[in-house]
Amino acid sequence: MLQRLGLYEGPLDGEFGESTELAVIQFQWSVRVFERPGVCGPLTLAALREASA
């Protein structure tokens, strides 16, 4: 989802590395999700689903 939204450009390797964490933080700030930065908690996941719908 982060790649489709243009926030992540790395390989899709199934790893939650630094690049993924930074993309999550960028997404959280862009949609004003105030959850633990870089963590895909329930609020972030719901916002990702909504943004990619």
Side-chain angles (χ1 to χ4, degrees), residues 30-50:
S30 72
V31 295
R32 303 176 68 86
V33 171
F34 300 108
E35 196 165 41
R36 187 171 170 202
V39 175
C40 282
L43 297 175
T44 301
L45 289 173
L48 275 168
R49 286 187 198 105
E50 185 177 319

Side-chain angles (χ1 to χ4, degrees), residues 8-31:
Y8 179 78
E9 296 180 8
L12 299 178
D13 57 9
E15 298 292 323
F16 195 98
E18 185 178 342
S19 296
T20 309
E21 182 180 9
L22 292 173
V24 170
I25 291 170
Q26 184 178 2
F27 174 75
Q28 288 170 321
W29 280 102
S30 72
V31 295

